[in-house]
Structures are given as structure tokens and as C-alpha cells.
Amino acid sequence: MASDADLIAGCLAGDEDAFVRMVSRHEEAISRYLVRQVGREAAQDLLGEVWIEAYTSRASYDRSYADARPWLYGVALNQVRRLWRNRPPENLIPDMGELPIAWDPWPTVEIRLDAREALRGALAALRPDARDVLTLVVGEDLAVVDAARVLGITAAKARRLLYEARASLRQDSRIAALLDELNNVGESK
């Protein structure tokens, strides 16, 4: 069985069927790739563009590689990029006509704003060193020992401060009220 490189060389020598045989080997794989990238409808259009581009640029194929599939994926990727570049900008405002008639986004927005304010207030009420440890461990995803190193304190002190910060947040009335409100919204759905 001839390699893809042999088929491309045959095509360049005038055997047009050689290119068709090479395409038939990889059509399914390239098609699946395009569907995953741009969806079924756009993939059907792009697949033809991939084969046209591959045929047009077949002379540039490095025939030291027997398998043309990686090259074809590159051609397909370039077509996908060209499609995305040439698409009109998406309308970022959602089509409100498809939302349920009784849908109201404002309770969700209000809960998010309330959550932000409650968390800010609760964090502001923490001791500064406890807030710093909590911020580094939770917000920056550092290990407690790394947070301790950042702050120039012992790991034991950082663990204690983290415990205090978490306990304080659990006892904060603003956080408790927010959690109750979130639970009530979740139950009403």
C-alpha cells in the first residue's frame, strides 16, 4: 500500500486519482475534527475548503513524512482559524425572546451583589493577619506553609490564623443571612 507521501508525489506527477485516495484515507478523521471545532453545519463547508487548500499546497508537503494526517490537521486548523477571524462579531446581548416569560434575572443579580457586599464586610471585620492568610490560602491557592513564608510567620501561626478566619466567617451574621438566602433560592427552583 502506498504511503500518503507516495500518493502526493503521484498526484504531483499527474495521477489525480492518487490525491483522491489520500483524501479518502483521512476524510473521516478530518471531518470529525472539524465537527468538534465548529459544529456539523460549518464543518461540512470547511471540509471542502480543507481539501482545496491541501490540493493547492500539495507541492509544499514534506514527503519525508509518510503520513499526511498531521499536515491535514494543520490545514484544517488554518481553515478553522480563518473561519473564526472572518465571522461577524457575535451579538453579546442574549435573545430575550427565548427566555421563559416569567423569568426574572434581577433576584440572581441582587443575590450576587448582596454576596459581594456581605463577603467584603465579613473580610474587613477579620484581623488583618488572619485576612492575609485566608486570602493567600483561599484566594491565591497557596499552601498554608507557603502563605506563612510570604507573611514571615511560622506555619503553626498561619494555621491558627486560618482557623480563626474561617471560624469568624462562619459566625458572621451577614454570611449566615446570605447562606440562608441562597438556600431559599435553591429550594424554590
Side-chain angles (χ1 to χ4, degrees):
M1 183 159 119
S3 71
D4 293 339
D6 294 336
L7 292 173
I8 290 173
C11 179
L12 289 169
D15 180 6
E16 296 301 321
D17 289 338
F19 189 79
V20 172
R21 289 194 308 270
M22 192 269 304
V23 165
S24 66
R25 286 182 184 174
H26 303 293
E27 187 169 20
E28 191 175 321
I30 300 302
S31 180
R32 282 192 312 260
Y33 170 76
L34 291 171
V35 167
R36 284 191 302 272
Q37 296 299 311
V38 298
R40 188 165 307 283
E41 189 174 317
Q44 290 174 348
D45 295 334
L46 276 188
L47 187 59
E49 296 296 322
V50 168
W51 301 134
I52 291 168
E53 180 62 30
Y55 184 81
T56 304
S57 62
R58 67 194 184 283
S60 67
Y61 180 72
D62 182 352
R63 287 176 279 188
S64 66
Y65 296 100
D67 184 9
R69 190 179 330 205
W71 174 66
L72 292 171
Y73 278 120
V75 173
L77 176 60
N78 287 336
Q79 292 299 319
V80 168
R81 287 177 176 162
R82 186 172 294 127
L83 173 74
W84 290 120
R85 249 191 334 264
N86 294 332
R87 287 181 82 168
E90 290 184 38
N91 183 2
L92 297 179
I93 299 172
D95 181 8
M96 301 301 269
E98 294 183 19
L99 295 174
I101 293 173
W103 184 76
D104 182 9
W106 295 116
T108 304
V109 171
E110 288 171 356
I111 288 172
R112 289 189 69 179
L113 292 173
D114 290 347
R116 185 175 290 144
E117 287 306 311
L119 190 54
R120 266 196 196 124
L123 288 172
L126 294 175
R127 289 183 20 199
D129 52 356
R131 183 177 50 244
D132 291 342
V133 170
L134 181 71
T135 302
L136 289 169
V137 171
V138 175
E140 301 301 324
D141 202 25
L142 290 180
V144 175
V145 292
D146 294 331
R149 192 172 336 134
V150 168
L151 299 171
I153 58 177
T154 65
K157 183 173 182 178
R159 279 194 227 23
R160 184 178 48 89
L161 290 170
L162 181 61
Y163 174 81
E164 288 175 12
R166 287 179 171 161
S168 179
L169 288 177
R170 278 191 293 271
Q171 295 171 359
D172 190 285
S173 61
R174 293 167 289 205
I175 299 296
L178 176 66
L179 291 174
D180 285 342
E181 187 175 351
L182 289 173
N183 285 334
N184 291 336
V185 169
E187 291 172 2
S188 68
K189 289 185 177 181

